[in-house]
Amino acid sequence: FSIGFNDVFDQLEKASKQLQKAATYPPYNIKQVKDNKFVIEMAVAGFGKSDIEITLEGNKLVIKGHATEDDSNPEDYIFKGIATRNFTREFKLADKVEIENAEIVNGMLKIGLANMVKLQETIKKIPLTSK
């Protein structure tokens, strides 16, 4: 068992499972791209850069989308399958995780995360001193 440190991937996985139960919009992925780097990908089609707010509140990453008013008449649509409604998504991050960047590419919001804890040797001998 461990004391004082939770693995970043385990925390992201727990948060993912909790949020999947609570909300399904907008859909997202969490990918591990390197040993200590992760990307949260979120489908935000219809949202522009000015419609999305990303904040870090302590160790909680909060992503809010504010849908702009659609000027068209609802009767103009034969089928409307692209949802543009307000949303809030929250992810709990480990203490040593930093947000590297955030960008929108082809309707996908991508947030890069890095675990700043250096990987340690699997076995480390701790010197014992006496006084």
Side-chain angles (χ1 to χ4, degrees):
F1 82 122
S2 63
I3 299 174
F5 179 77
N6 291 324
D7 186 53
V8 176
F9 186 72
D10 288 342
Q11 282 198 9
L12 287 173
E13 187 176 40
K14 279 183 189 177
S16 172
K17 287 179 183 176
Q18 289 172 352
L19 289 173
Q20 283 176 353
K21 292 176 188 173
T24 59
Y25 179 80
Y28 67 93
N29 299 323
I30 300 174
K31 288 191 336 187
Q32 184 172 5
V33 292
K34 290 186 181 176
D35 284 343
N36 63 343
K37 296 199 184 275
F38 303 87
V39 174
I40 297 173
E41 299 175 321
M42 188 174 296
V44 292
F47 288 87
K49 190 168 109 174
S50 62
D51 300 328
I52 296 176
E53 177 184 336
I54 303 170
T55 57
L56 188 60
E57 301 171 9
N59 65 343
K60 185 169 53 172
L61 173 64
V62 180
I63 305 164
K64 293 182 181 180
H66 308 284
T68 54
E69 291 294 320
D70 187 0
D71 294 337
S72 61
N73 184 349
E75 295 174 4
D76 292 340
Y77 289 96
I78 296 169
F79 175 79
K80 186 170 184 194
I82 300 174
T84 51
R85 59 183 181 260
N86 294 341
F87 69 86
T88 300
R89 285 280 189 174
E90 296 179 0
F91 299 89
K92 185 177 178 184
L93 304 178
D95 294 337
K96 299 292 182 177
V97 172
E98 289 189 8
I99 299 171
E100 290 189 322
N101 59 5
E103 60 184 350
I104 295 179
V105 179
N106 298 328
M108 293 291 286
L109 173 64
K110 296 184 178 199
I111 301 172
L113 306 172
N115 181 6
M116 302 312 289
V117 175
K118 293 181 182 177
L119 298 176
Q120 296 182 359
E121 297 174 18
T122 54
I123 299 175
K124 182 178 181 182
K125 188 169 184 167
I126 308 299
L128 181 63
T129 59
S130 62
K131 291 186 178 185

